Amino acid sequence: MSIKDNVAVTDVNAPVAVEVADSDSAKPTAAVGGGVEDVYGEDTATEDHFITPWSVSVASGYSLLRDPHHNKGLAFTEKERDAHYLRGLLPPVVVNHDLQVKKMMHNIRQYEIPLQRYQAMMDLQEKNERLFYKLLIENVEELLPIVDTPTVGEACQKYGTIFKNPQGLYISLKDKGKVLEILKNWPQKKIQVIVVTDGERILGLGDLGCQGMGIPVGKLSLYTALGGIRPSACLPITIDVRTNNEKMLNDEFYIGLRQRRASGKEYAELMNEFMSAVKQNYGKKVLIQFEDFANHNAFDLLEKYRTTHLVFNDDIQGTASMVLAGLISALKLVGGSLADHKFLFLGAGEAGTGIAELIALEISKQTNAPLEETRKKIWLVDSKGLIVSSRVDSLQHFKKPWAHDHEPVHEFLDFVKSIKPTVLIGSSGAGQTFTKEQAYTWSEGRAIFASGSPFAPVDYNGKNYVSGQSNNAYIFLGFGLGLIISGAICVHDDMLLAASEALAEQVTPEHFANGLIYPPFTNIRKISAHIAARVAAKAYELGLATRLPQPEDLVAYAESCMYSPKYRNYR
C-alpha cells in the first residue's frame, strides 16, 4: 500500500487516474479547509483541519467506469480517455454533463410507473454518483416524489424483489456484540450523518422490517442533493429486529430475519450497543437521525439519548418544525398571532404530539406564558376520540400533557363543533378525513391548505388554488447542515424554533399571492443554507457549537460547505 496526498492506493501496480480540482471549484482560504475525502474544497468547512490536498488517486481503465464515485461516462474528454486507458471502452462521442442530464430525464420520463422511475434513479446512483445528484438538484420537484414520499413507500414494500446491491449497513439481532466491528466494515470513515430505521412504522404502511432500508437511502440522497452533505459523509443503516408483518415473513424474497419482532430488553440492548458503537467509531458530533420508528420506541430513544448523543427524530421534531413554519407563514395572510388560535389535531402519535409541543413552545416564547397554559390551546384526537382528562390513566405517556378537561367526544364532526378550532392539522395515518378539495369547498375558499404529498391545483368558483407541500425535507436538510457546520453536540428545542422561523422567512409576497405557505422546492438548496445558518447561530448562542471561531457570515459559510455534483478533471 502506498500513500499519495494522504489517500491510500491499495494496488500500486494498477494504472491510476488523478482527479484534480479545477480553478473555479476549489480555492483554499483561511476559513475553509479540506480533508482527504473532500479534495475539491467544496464542503470542507465540515472538516476539523485546514489543509487542502489538490488531488486524489483513483482507478483507471475499466475499473474507473465501474466506480460510481468517479465515473463520468461519455463525459470523459478525449485527453482523459487517452491518459487513463479508456480509449475503446466508450463510444467515440463526448458529451457534456448537461446533455447527460437531459438524456437521463428523457429516459426516466418514458416510464409510466413511478416504481420503475425509482429503480432507474437507483441504478443511476450506483453507476454515476455526480450525474445522479445533478439530475435530482435540477429536477427536484419532478423527482422528489420518486426518491421520497410517496414512491419510496412502494419501493420499501417491494425492496426484497427489487434489491440488487446493498446501499448501507444492515445490523441485526444476530450481530449483537459485533456492532462496532460492522461499523468498521463501512469503507468511508469520516461519517457526519447517519439515518437509521428499524422499519416498524414505514410512512403509513406499517411494519416493513428490514425492507425499510429504502427510507435511510432516500433521506440521505436528499441530504446530499438538497442539503449539501457530501455522499461519502452519509451512512444509511437499518436495524433488523425482525418483523411482525405476516406478508414479509411469508415472502420468499424478504431480505430480513424471519421471526417475530423483538421488544423490551432484547431490543434495548441492541439499540444501546448501536448508539455506543456509533459514538465510539465516529465521535460525538456525528448526527444520528431516527426515521420511522414506532411511537413507543421513537419517544423513548429520543428521550434516552438526546443528552448524550447528537440525535434528531425526523418524525417528531422535523415534522413539528416544518408544520410550525407553515403556521407562521399562514399568519402573515390571516393576521394575528399563534396565541389567538385554537388547534385541533387528528392524530396523536409521533407527528401530532411533536407538532403540538413545538407550537406550545413557540406560543410560550412569544407570550411568556407557562408551557402548561399554552398547551391548553391545543386539542388532540386519537383512535379512541378526543384526548380528555378522564382518559389520562389509560393514555401513553406522550399523550398525557394533552388531556384537557372536557366531556368525551368520539366523532370528528362533533370535535369540530365542540372545540371550534381555527386550525386543523391532520397527523394520522388514515387518509381522506379531510382533503384539499373539501378544505376549499367547505370553507368556501377561505382555507389555507398544505399537505405532505404533492397535489395538483384546484379550481373552485372560478379561482385556481395552489396547495403547498408540507414536506419534512424543508427542515431536516438545512437543520442537519446547520448542526454539522457548527459542530453541535446536541439538539435543543430552540434550534427547531429557529429552523421554523427561517423557513417561514423564505416565503415571499408572490408565494402568498398564489396561496402558498411554503416556498417552492426549486429553491431548496438556498433555503437549506438559510436554515442551516439560523440553526448554527442558535447552537453558538446556546454554547453547543464546537467549531470555533464562529464564522461572520453563516449563510455564506453554509453555502461554501455544500457539495457540488460538478464533474472534476482528470490529468
Side-chain angles (χ1 to χ4, degrees):
M1 177 178 288
S2 67
I3 300 293
K4 178 177 178 64
D5 291 324
N6 298 321
V7 179
V9 183
T10 57
D11 184 356
V12 296
N13 296 314
V16 296
V18 179
E19 193 175 40
V20 298
D22 53 42
S23 59
D24 294 329
S25 62
K27 298 180 181 179
T29 68
V32 180
V36 297
E37 297 300 324
D38 173 35
V39 297
Y40 318 113
E42 64 194 9
D43 64 342
T44 51
T46 58
E47 296 293 341
D48 283 329
H49 36 77
F50 298 90
I51 301 171
T52 305
W54 288 87
S55 65
V56 58
S57 297
V58 298
S60 276
Y62 191 79
S63 297
L64 179 57
L65 297 179
R66 294 297 180 268
D67 181 351
H69 308 302
H70 302 101
N71 179 30
K72 298 198 290 186
L74 293 177
F76 283 110
T77 65
E78 297 283 1
K79 182 178 179 181
E80 289 170 338
R81 296 180 189 203
D82 284 332
H84 305 303
Y85 310 94
L86 298 174
R87 181 68 62 183
L89 299 180
L90 292 166
V93 68
V94 175
V95 303
N96 61 38
H97 212 170
D98 290 332
L99 186 59
Q100 286 182 311
V101 168
K102 182 178 181 180
K103 176 184 176 182
M104 281 305 307
M105 283 308 300
H106 170 78
N107 290 343
I108 287 171
R109 287 167 181 155
Q110 302 307 303
Y111 295 111
E112 296 182 1
I113 300 173
L115 185 61
Q116 293 176 332
R117 295 187 174 193
Y118 174 89
Q119 291 177 271
M121 288 292 290
M122 295 303 103
D123 287 345
L124 177 61
Q125 188 177 24
E126 293 177 7
K127 294 175 182 175
N128 186 330
E129 191 174 80
R130 290 183 179 271
L131 180 55
F132 170 83
Y133 289 116
K134 183 175 173 66
L135 193 74
L136 185 51
I137 290 169
E138 296 181 2
N139 299 274
V140 59
E141 291 191 319
E142 183 172 351
L143 295 178
L144 185 65
I146 301 300
V147 299
D148 194 38
T149 306
T151 308
V152 71
E154 183 183 1
C156 288
Q157 289 177 307
K158 300 175 180 177
Y159 209 76
T161 303
I162 66 175
F163 179 86
K164 293 181 179 178
N165 298 305
Q167 294 177 287
L169 282 178
Y170 294 85
I171 298 171
S172 77
L173 287 166
K174 295 197 304 182
D175 304 314
K176 188 176 179 181
K178 301 178 181 178
V179 174
L180 181 60
E181 180 183 332
I182 290 174
L183 293 179
K184 291 180 181 296
N185 287 342
W186 188 249
Q188 304 295 343
K189 306 306 178 186
K190 294 183 176 293
I191 300 301
Q192 294 173 329
V193 183
I194 291 172
V195 176
V196 60
T197 186
D198 71 354
E200 189 169 5
R201 193 202 62 85
I202 299 298
L203 305 174
L205 303 172
D207 185 354
L208 299 185
C210 194
Q211 297 191 172
M213 178 58 95
I215 297 298
V217 169
K219 296 294 183 184
L220 286 168
S221 295
L222 300 184
Y223 252 125
T224 294
L226 312 181
I229 309 298
R230 68 180 187 274
S232 61
C234 298
L235 175 54
I237 296 180
T238 289
I239 308 290
D240 185 359
V241 288
R242 306 190 290 259
T243 180
N244 291 332
N245 187 320
E246 289 292 342
K247 185 176 180 180
M248 297 296 172
L249 292 172
N250 295 320
D251 183 354
E252 64 178 326
F253 299 128
Y254 179 60
I255 60 175
L257 297 177
R258 295 173 184 272
Q259 295 90 31
R260 294 287 176 180
R261 180 172 286 271
S263 60
K265 183 180 179 182
E266 186 180 21
Y267 180 92
E269 286 179 348
L270 182 64
M271 288 304 302
N272 191 61
E273 182 184 350
F274 166 72
M275 296 297 290
S276 298
V278 165
K279 194 170 184 178
Q280 181 178 344
N281 202 46
Y282 301 119
K284 63 181 180 180
K285 291 183 287 185
V286 63
L287 172 60
I288 304 170
Q289 179 165 315
F290 296 121
E291 288 282 351
D292 291 346
F293 285 75
N295 291 344
H296 55 283
N297 289 322
F299 287 101
D300 290 346
L301 290 170
L302 186 60
E303 186 62 29
K304 181 176 182 179
Y305 295 108
R306 67 188 309 166
T307 59
T308 59
H309 293 67
L310 184 63
V311 294
F312 171 73
N313 187 299
D314 189 32
D315 303 300
I316 299 173
Q317 297 165 298
T319 303
S321 186
M322 176 270 301
V323 172
L324 177 59
L327 293 173
I328 294 172
S329 293
L331 289 175
K332 297 175 184 177
L333 289 174
V334 302
S337 67
L338 284 175
D340 298 329
H341 290 272
K342 188 178 291 186
F343 303 84
L344 177 61
F345 284 74
L346 180 64
E350 295 171 55
T353 55
I355 299 165
E357 184 70 3
L358 203 63
I359 293 172
L361 283 168
E362 180 70 8
I363 295 174
S364 178
K365 174 186 170 185
Q366 292 177 2
T367 63
N368 292 319
L371 186 60
E372 292 74 16
E373 288 298 315
T374 60
R375 284 173 176 157
K376 293 178 181 178
K377 295 180 176 293
I378 303 169
W379 296 81
L380 277 69
V381 173
D382 64 9
S383 60
K384 295 180 174 61
L386 191 66
I387 294 178
V388 293
S389 54
S390 61
R391 295 178 52 198
V392 71
D393 290 340
S394 63
L395 292 173
Q396 294 166 286
H397 66 89
F398 54 87
K399 296 181 182 180
K400 290 185 177 182
W402 312 103
H404 307 319
D405 292 334
H406 196 284
E407 71 273 8
V409 185
H410 300 286
E411 297 298 327
F412 182 69
L413 187 57
D414 294 334
F415 305 150
V416 175
K417 290 178 178 178
S418 177
I419 303 301
K420 294 182 173 58
T422 53
V423 179
L424 284 174
I425 298 177
S427 55
S428 166
Q432 297 297 307
T433 303
F434 47 90
T435 70
K436 179 181 61 171
E437 288 80 3
Q438 293 165 350
Y440 291 129
T441 56
W442 290 348
S443 67
E444 298 179 346
R446 296 191 301 272
I448 299 168
F449 183 89
S451 62
S453 295
F455 286 106
V458 169
D459 286 318
Y460 175 74
N461 279 353
K463 184 176 179 180
N464 188 258
Y465 292 87
V466 181
S467 65
Q469 185 182 357
S470 48
N471 190 308
N472 285 20
Y474 276 119
I475 289 293
F476 78 79
L477 302 170
F479 193 84
L481 179 61
L483 295 174
I484 291 169
I485 66 172
S486 64
I489 55 174
C490 70
V491 171
H492 191 283
D493 286 338
D494 285 354
M495 297 176 182
L496 299 170
L497 298 178
S500 298
E501 293 162 2
L503 175 56
E505 289 170 4
Q506 298 302 304
V507 186
T508 67
E510 181 183 358
H511 300 148
F512 287 133
N514 290 324
L516 295 174
I517 56 174
Y518 294 100
F521 258 106
T522 49
N523 299 326
I524 189 61
R525 280 174 69 98
K526 287 283 186 184
I527 295 166
S528 294
H530 279 273
I531 292 174
R534 291 289 285 275
V535 171
K538 186 60 66 173
Y540 283 106
E541 179 187 327
L542 296 171
L544 299 174
T546 62
R547 194 175 300 282
L548 301 172
Q550 177 179 343
E552 291 184 9
D553 187 339
L554 280 168
V555 174
Y557 183 64
E559 290 177 341
S560 76
C561 295
M562 298 178 82
Y563 166 85
S564 166
K566 182 180 179 181
Y567 281 145
R568 306 306 165 187
N569 295 326
Y570 293 87
R571 68 184 182 203

